[in-house]
Amino acid sequence: MGKSCSKSLFLTQFSLQITHTRSLRTAGGGAAADSFIALCRQGHLKQAFTAHFSLISWDPPLVSHLLKACVDSSSLSLAQQLHSIITTNGWSNIKFVSNHLMSAYAKLCRLETALKVFDKMPERNVMSYNIVIGGYIQSGDLGAAVVVFKEMGERKNSATWNAVITGMIKNELNEEGLTLFTQMHSNEFSSDAYTLGSVLRACAGLKDLIKGKQVHGYAMRLGLELDLVVGNSTSHMYMRCGCLTEAERVIQSMPLRNIVLCNTLIAGLVQNGCAAGALETYHLIKRAGFRPDDITFVSVVASCSKLSTLGQGQQIHAEVVKAGAASDAAVITSLISMYSRCGCLDGAVKAFEERGGAARCHVLLSSMIAAYGFHGKGDEAIELFKRMELDGVKANKVTFLSLLYSCSHCGLKEKGLQLFNLMIGKYGLEPEVKHYTCVVDLLSRAGCLEEAERFIRSMPVKPDAVTWKTLLSACKIHKTADMATRIAEEILKIDPQDSASYVLLSNIQATADRWRDVSTVRKQMRERMVKKEPGVSWYELKNEVHHFIMGDKSHPQWEEINSYLKEVMAEVRSHGYVTDIGASLHDMDSEEKEHNLAHHSEKLAVAFALMKAPDSIPIRIMKNLRVCDDCHVVMKYISMVRNREIVLRDCSRFHHFKHGHCSCDDYW
DNA sequence: CTAGGGTTAG
């Protein structure tokens, strides 16, 4: 469940002061050019060139525009073709054309060529220098960047400083940018809105609230705090530092608002755990007359993902298509993740396939790999990674993390270990604790518990509570109560309030009939005031989310649901199901336990879904805790007896129940 | 010198 959040200040008095939205990039060249650009946007650069090359009346803005597209789709050869068009037409002396060309070469890892273009420029502007400096910074040659900066310095004005500071910060050299900012002042150049915007962005990147507040104060002294860009950057900085109220106050004070400001607010709300507020704000800004753009959609789709509300997500997807934002790589990445997290792998695959093969960057591919992994499709995930390697798209740490858990989720131990070694060896990536945790999962799931424990105790980074919890889950499956006690101690050293671990340990002891140990755990829980978090399940029906909590009869159709659940359970019993009382932690007699188990939130939710939803669609239920053993068994029976597909997402993974079998292979 | 966005263990 999302964190509760106070109603946004913004929502209470949002006015209709709208500034003009940035218009979609347009370029010269008429209808052929439009169609050309449309094709390029969809990632079909090569097709676009073949079909339209001779029809287009080339002009400098169009060429510049397309150079940007080349960067987006990593097409060096097309950039070279454009280069020759520039040369043939004698446009090399136009500053912005050469700047774009340099920028494309630099970003496509051809710094040498970019420098040649730079050398041939008869006249340069700040941008030209900035691109070269940026290129050097990206290739890791800071020394050369400084040399160019000094050469540029001989021209020694505010715009130059701003250009370099912006260049640094854009390349994530936040500290360096801030240092230059200080130097700029000691060289008696004063800041303007451009400087402040960049510097605030650096503070946001560093999550440095103290510096950020100082800059905010400085902006007020300069009377620049109401500038659209400065105000937005200030709000963004507060959002990144987790100060939601402060960020909203800044937006509230702005005399003019535009879609960028709205986006800062919506993204900030999601990032600060208030997905419901983000969704609400989205509907509000639309009513206020703002037109959402691709960036808005990325955040709104992410909200649906966090809330696990497939219906709302699909609705937003339709709006994305209508708004013509469906070919933006970030939007698609977000959609893939949303469908996957809402339990609809088909939707994720469809969104992925629609993108076509032309322009799939590493983030987009990683998100699809993660989606396969989430749903236990390890082979598909690995297949996609192979294709990624063939296409020359470079995998990063996130890609490998997704690959590793794809393997552990379906028992591909050897394959997973191979990938782990590939990541360190061939890719030269340093694993983080999350990667090590996946390896622990790979080993322990395969029954190598001792090896997994040795691995944890010898790994070069400090294991966290999750690392140990992974091993503790394995102890449950492999019924090793002694080891479980030892591992639980490690977890409670790190987080003594982690109720899930107490519950897990107690269940393991109960299964091993070690009742004295069970009561020790319960005593510890009482002494340390650890409360078992109540289990909540939710189910979305016709745009409405229904919540179910054990023992809570507040649902308007509670009686009906309860008696229907009884019917279903009787049906399931007639097919051989027997209640497993061990799954209950509570200290009570058997009859009471059975009664409690029978009303677990996921059972209530599934009964409601069986009652209300059409037979043809899978039932998708979300739960805030791990699924209990008994409910897991019941779901398997229901999927068989009723011939219904049930997708249950608990706090860590998906369970797909079909024909009496679960995708997790009873390991979770 | 022109803001704001994407993938991530249990």
Side-chain angles (χ1 to χ4, degrees):
Chain A
M1 282 208 304
K3 233 193 278 177
S4 68
C5 59
S6 61
K7 196 165 175 79
S8 161
L9 276 174
F10 192 71
L11 299 180
T12 55
Q13 40 162 300
F14 197 88
S15 65
L16 271 165
Q17 294 152 323
I18 304 174
T19 60
H20 285 290
T21 309
R22 177 185 64 183
S23 65
L24 287 176
R25 286 154 293 210
T26 48
D34 285 344
S35 148
F36 185 94
I37 289 166
L39 272 172
C40 292
R41 283 228 186 123
Q42 288 154 25
H44 306 302
L45 236 68
K46 279 182 189 150
Q47 293 91 315
F49 266 80
T50 321
H52 294 286
F53 197 87
S54 56
L55 297 172
I56 290 187
S57 51
W58 295 101
D59 63 19
L62 179 61
V63 171
S64 306
H65 183 78
L66 292 173
L67 280 165
K68 272 194 220 161
C70 291
V71 174
D72 291 339
S73 57
S74 316
S75 307
L76 180 65
S77 64
L78 299 177
Q80 285 161 338
Q81 285 191 46
L82 289 166
H83 190 170
S84 66
I85 292 172
I86 292 169
T87 318
T88 322
N89 287 289
W91 293 333
S92 307
N93 58 351
I94 303 173
K95 274 176 275 185
F96 76 83
V97 174
S98 282
N99 282 348
H100 274 109
L101 185 61
M102 268 166 48
S103 175
Y105 277 127
K107 285 181 183 151
L108 294 168
C109 302
R110 292 293 186 283
L111 188 58
E112 286 298 313
T113 322
L115 291 173
K116 274 184 198 149
V117 176
F118 181 73
D119 288 337
K120 280 189 191 151
M121 286 173 79
E123 220 184 295
R124 298 160 190 150
N125 60 14
V126 177
M127 191 68 178
S128 328
Y129 282 94
N130 203 19
I131 292 164
V132 173
I133 291 173
Y136 275 126
I137 291 172
Q138 259 182 346
S139 70
D141 193 346
L142 282 178
V146 172
V147 171
V148 179
F149 178 51
K150 286 200 175 132
E151 185 190 322
M152 190 182 171
E154 285 155 25
R155 298 155 59 108
K156 260 299 186 198
N157 56 28
S158 283
T160 324
W161 280 97
N162 286 344
V164 179
I165 292 175
T166 308
M168 291 274 177
I169 292 168
K170 268 196 173 165
N171 286 288
E172 286 178 41
L173 293 170
N174 296 319
E175 308 263 15
E176 290 82 349
L178 289 176
T179 310
L180 274 184
F181 173 61
T182 320
Q183 281 175 18
M184 177 179 180
H185 285 271
S186 44
N187 282 282
E188 284 163 24
F189 285 102
S190 54
S191 300
D192 59 14
Y194 287 111
T195 333
L196 293 178
S198 290
V199 168
L200 283 162
R201 179 171 159 173
C203 297
L206 295 167
K207 294 198 192 268
D208 189 334
L209 183 60
I210 296 172
K211 278 211 182 73
K213 275 188 172 168
Q214 282 171 3
V215 181
H216 185 193
Y218 182 53
M220 290 200 266
R221 283 202 296 286
L222 293 175
L224 288 171
E225 85 272 24
L226 298 181
D227 175 273
L228 202 50
V229 177
V230 173
N232 182 62
S233 303
T234 308
S235 176
H236 178 239
M237 179 275 297
Y238 281 120
M239 283 294 191
R240 276 298 161 96
C241 295
C243 306
L244 227 154
T245 315
E246 202 52 50
E248 283 181 328
R249 197 171 295 151
V250 172
I251 292 181
Q252 194 64 36
S253 72
M254 299 291 290
L256 287 175
R257 288 160 191 165
N258 64 0
I259 189 68
V260 180
L261 222 44
C262 299
N263 290 343
T264 301
L265 181 65
I266 294 175
L269 285 165
V270 196
Q271 286 156 8
N272 283 290
C274 191
L279 207 57
E280 211 178 325
T281 308
Y282 167 71
H283 291 299
L284 194 108
I285 64 146
K286 273 203 308 183
R287 275 203 300 278
F290 290 95
R291 208 169 66 200
D293 66 7
D294 40 7
I295 296 181
T296 323
F297 288 125
V298 168
S299 300
V300 181
V301 171
S303 310
C304 298
S305 175
K306 291 258 153 58
L307 297 166
S308 298
T309 47
L310 182 63
Q312 307 225 40
Q314 284 168 323
Q315 217 166 292
I316 306 284
H317 190 172
E319 291 177 37
V320 165
V321 174
K322 227 189 276 172
S327 57
D328 182 88
V331 173
I332 294 166
T333 307
S334 208
L335 282 168
I336 292 170
S337 173
M338 181 276 290
Y339 277 111
S340 154
R341 287 176 176 273
C342 289
C344 180
L345 184 62
D346 286 351
V349 173
K350 226 172 141 203
F352 178 70
E353 297 293 344
E354 274 165 14
R355 172 66 176 173
R360 288 168 175 173
C361 66
H362 67 284
V363 186
L364 193 123
L365 287 160
S366 300
S367 119
M368 194 59 230
I369 289 176
Y372 279 132
F374 236 167
H375 292 263
K377 307 265 181 197
D379 291 324
E380 283 86 344
I382 293 168
E383 213 35 61
L384 195 52
F385 170 65
K386 280 187 191 153
R387 242 167 70 195
M388 197 170 164
E389 279 198 304
L390 284 177
D391 293 344
V393 182
K394 199 149 188 241
N396 66 3
K397 284 186 184 183
V398 178
T399 321
F400 277 103
L401 190 65
S402 306
L403 280 168
L404 289 172
Y405 76 70
S406 303
C407 291
S408 70
H409 279 187
C410 48
L412 299 169
K413 180 187 157 203
E414 291 309 321
K415 194 72 217 170
L417 293 175
Q418 267 174 31
L419 284 163
F420 185 65
N421 290 327
L422 189 77
M423 167 186 177
I424 300 170
K426 188 176 164 197
Y427 281 76
L429 296 168
E430 201 179 311
E432 291 168 12
V433 67
K434 294 176 181 185
H435 299 91
Y436 286 104
T437 301
C438 281
V439 175
V440 171
D441 198 34
L442 278 170
L443 293 172
S444 55
R445 201 173 279 252
C448 312
L449 295 186
E450 304 290 338
E451 196 184 338
E453 189 179 353
R454 275 199 302 278
F455 182 81
I456 297 180
R457 297 198 188 274
S458 68
M459 62 196 226
V461 297
K462 205 167 172 256
D464 61 14
V466 177
T467 317
W468 291 112
K469 275 163 94 167
T470 304
L471 188 50
L472 188 62
S473 299
C475 292
K476 172 178 165 266
I477 303 299
H478 298 286
K479 300 189 170 58
T480 50
D482 281 329
M483 190 174 187
T485 311
R486 185 166 75 234
I487 302 305
E489 272 170 23
E490 297 285 353
I491 299 170
L492 298 177
K493 263 192 239 163
I494 300 171
D495 183 5
Q497 293 294 309
D498 183 52
S499 63
S501 296
Y502 289 96
V503 175
L504 192 53
L505 179 61
S506 161
N507 286 343
I508 296 171
Q509 308 289 20
T511 312
D513 267 334
R514 293 162 55 146
W515 299 102
R516 205 194 299 181
D517 293 314
V518 172
S519 59
T520 310
V521 177
R522 288 187 207 170
K523 206 173 131 218
Q524 277 179 341
M525 282 180 85
R526 277 196 302 274
E527 281 169 4
R528 297 175 193 173
M529 316 257 282
V530 179
K531 285 249 157 58
K532 187 176 182 288
E533 200 182 326
V536 183
S537 296
W538 61 101
Y539 175 73
E540 187 192 28
L541 182 74
K542 292 180 189 149
N543 255 337
E544 213 180 310
V545 181
H546 297 258
H547 290 263
F548 300 90
I549 307 167
M550 189 182 77
D552 173 27
K553 300 183 179 177
S554 63
H555 194 282
Q557 284 143 294
W558 159 259
E559 291 299 337
E560 207 185 328
I561 298 165
N562 193 33
S563 63
Y564 192 77
L565 178 57
K566 276 186 188 154
E567 265 177 52
V568 176
M569 292 306 288
E571 212 175 315
V572 159
R573 272 199 187 88
S574 72
H575 281 81
Y577 159 77
V578 184
T579 307
D580 172 17
I581 297 173
S584 175
L585 172 73
H586 302 278
D587 199 4
M588 54 187 78
D589 64 43
S590 309
E591 205 175 307
E592 219 178 329
K593 273 185 189 173
E594 193 160 343
H595 176 77
N596 253 311
L597 269 181
H599 291 87
H600 270 184
S601 62
E602 54 267 55
K603 289 197 186 86
L604 291 168
V606 81
F608 179 75
L610 286 168
M611 244 168 73
K612 298 285 182 182
D615 287 341
S616 53
I617 44 173
I619 295 172
R620 293 188 176 79
I621 294 168
M622 314 291 159
K623 194 191 172 185
N624 64 335
L625 306 175
R626 294 159 54 94
V627 196
C628 94
D629 290 290
D630 182 64
C631 288
H632 197 264
V633 175
V634 170
M635 296 291 169
K636 285 199 281 187
Y637 271 101
I638 294 177
S639 74
M640 178 177 68
V641 173
R642 291 293 182 98
N643 193 23
R644 280 297 279 274
E645 215 179 313
I646 301 170
V647 182
L648 177 57
R649 197 201 74 177
D650 69 10
C651 62
S652 63
R653 62 167 303 150
F654 275 103
H655 300 268
H656 272 255
F657 301 93
K658 207 173 172 180
H659 307 313
H661 179 261
C662 179
S663 62
C664 80
D665 264 330
D666 302 337
Y667 187 117
W668 76 96

